[in-house]
């Protein structure tokens, strides 16, 4: 703008651009030095002037977090929350950056009431491109549950005898108790029982 000369009219400045120079740490970002020149119609040249053009990416990347998932504990009440078992991000994309990978951080496990060995973990996924533009975080809820039944051994069949008044004692202390109660996650569990109505022995 403001091209002016004491004699010449209708003169127009011209420019030439240097090769783009990549901006370190900003894939898709460059600076270009533009040199402007103006010569009048009598061959008199003004001093060149430069303009710095900075090109930056300000578009955030996009991605899709994995869906919420329920996984189960193993025989030792351990669980596997690796990405291979719970799902990975898909559709990572950016207008300029290549090879970007989402990362995650996990909140502390929250115990599920009434389910020993059960937890929920909120996993927050993040993705930033190579020019510092961040996508909105996305969350995935990982539910961990125990689906392994406990084991136990019932007492052996037993014959007991009536007393002098023809009464009998079928308390656990007299007939035997369950042993080997075990579970992969739960502790302190106790077997319970219910009795069918007595059936008279014929003969």
């Amino acid at each position: 703008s403001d091209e002016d000369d004491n004699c010449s009219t209708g003169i127009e400045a011209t420019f030439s651009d240097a090769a783009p120079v990549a901006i370190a740490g900003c894939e898709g970002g460059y600076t270009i030095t533009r040199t402007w020149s103006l010569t009048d119609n009598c061959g008199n040249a003004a001093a060149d002037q430069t303009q710095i053009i900075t090109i930056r990416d300000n578009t955030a990347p996009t991605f899709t977090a994995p869906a919420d998932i329920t996984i189960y504990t193993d025989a030792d009440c351990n669980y596997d929350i690796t990405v291979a078992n719970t799902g990975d991000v898909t559709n990572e994309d950016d207008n300029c950056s290549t090879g970007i990978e989402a990362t995650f951080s996990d909140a502390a496990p929250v115990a599920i009431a009434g389910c020993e060995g059960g937890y929920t973990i909120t996993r927050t996924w993040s993705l930033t491109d190579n020019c510092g533009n961040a996508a909105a975080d996305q969350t995935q809820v990982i539910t961990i549950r125990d689906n392994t039944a406990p084991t136990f051994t019932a007492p052996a069949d037993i014959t007991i005898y009536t007393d002098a008044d023809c009464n009998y004692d079928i308390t656990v202390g007299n007939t035997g108790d369950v042993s080997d109660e075990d579970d992969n996650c739960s502790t302190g569990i106790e077997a319970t029982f219910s009795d069918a109505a007595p059936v008279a022995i014929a003969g």
Side-chain angles (χ1 to χ4, degrees):
S1 63
D2 302 328
E3 288 125 322
D4 188 49
D5 186 69
N6 63 328
C7 294
S8 299
T9 58
I11 55 176
E12 292 289 335
T14 59
F15 67 85
S16 64
D17 290 339
V21 176
I23 298 173
C26 181
E27 191 170 353
Y30 301 92
T31 58
I32 296 173
T33 300
R34 176 165 288 175
T35 302
W36 289 93
S37 304
L38 181 62
T39 302
D40 68 14
N41 294 332
C42 205
N44 302 301
D48 288 346
Q49 298 184 39
T50 58
Q51 174 190 20
I52 304 296
I53 301 168
T54 301
I55 302 154
R56 294 190 68 89
D57 167 25
N58 68 345
T59 301
T62 58
F63 71 101
T64 303
D68 296 346
I69 191 170
T70 298
I71 62 173
Y72 298 97
T73 54
D74 65 14
D76 297 316
C77 203
N78 297 316
Y79 51 85
D80 175 9
I81 58 169
T82 61
V83 168
N85 196 44
T86 60
D88 200 356
V89 161
T90 56
N91 303 325
E92 289 143 316
D93 190 52
D94 188 67
N95 61 327
C96 292
S97 297
T98 56
I100 54 177
E101 293 288 336
T103 59
F104 67 84
S105 63
D106 289 339
V110 177
I112 298 173
C115 180
E116 192 169 355
Y119 302 92
T120 58
I121 296 173
T122 299
R123 175 165 287 175
T124 301
W125 288 93
S126 304
L127 181 63
T128 302
D129 70 15
N130 294 329
C131 202
N133 301 300
D137 288 347
Q138 297 182 40
T139 58
Q140 174 193 21
V141 177
I142 300 167
T143 301
I144 300 152
R145 296 193 71 89
D146 166 26
N147 68 344
T148 301
T151 58
F152 70 102
T153 302
D157 295 346
I158 190 171
T159 299
I160 61 172
Y161 298 96
T162 56
D163 63 14
D165 297 317
C166 202
N167 296 318
Y168 52 84
D169 175 9
I170 58 168
T171 62
V172 169
N174 194 44
T175 61
D177 198 358
V178 162
S179 59
D180 303 327
E181 289 138 317
D182 189 52
D183 187 66
N184 63 325
C185 291
S186 297
T187 57
I189 55 176
E190 293 288 335
T192 59
F193 66 86
S194 62
D195 291 338
V199 178
I201 299 173

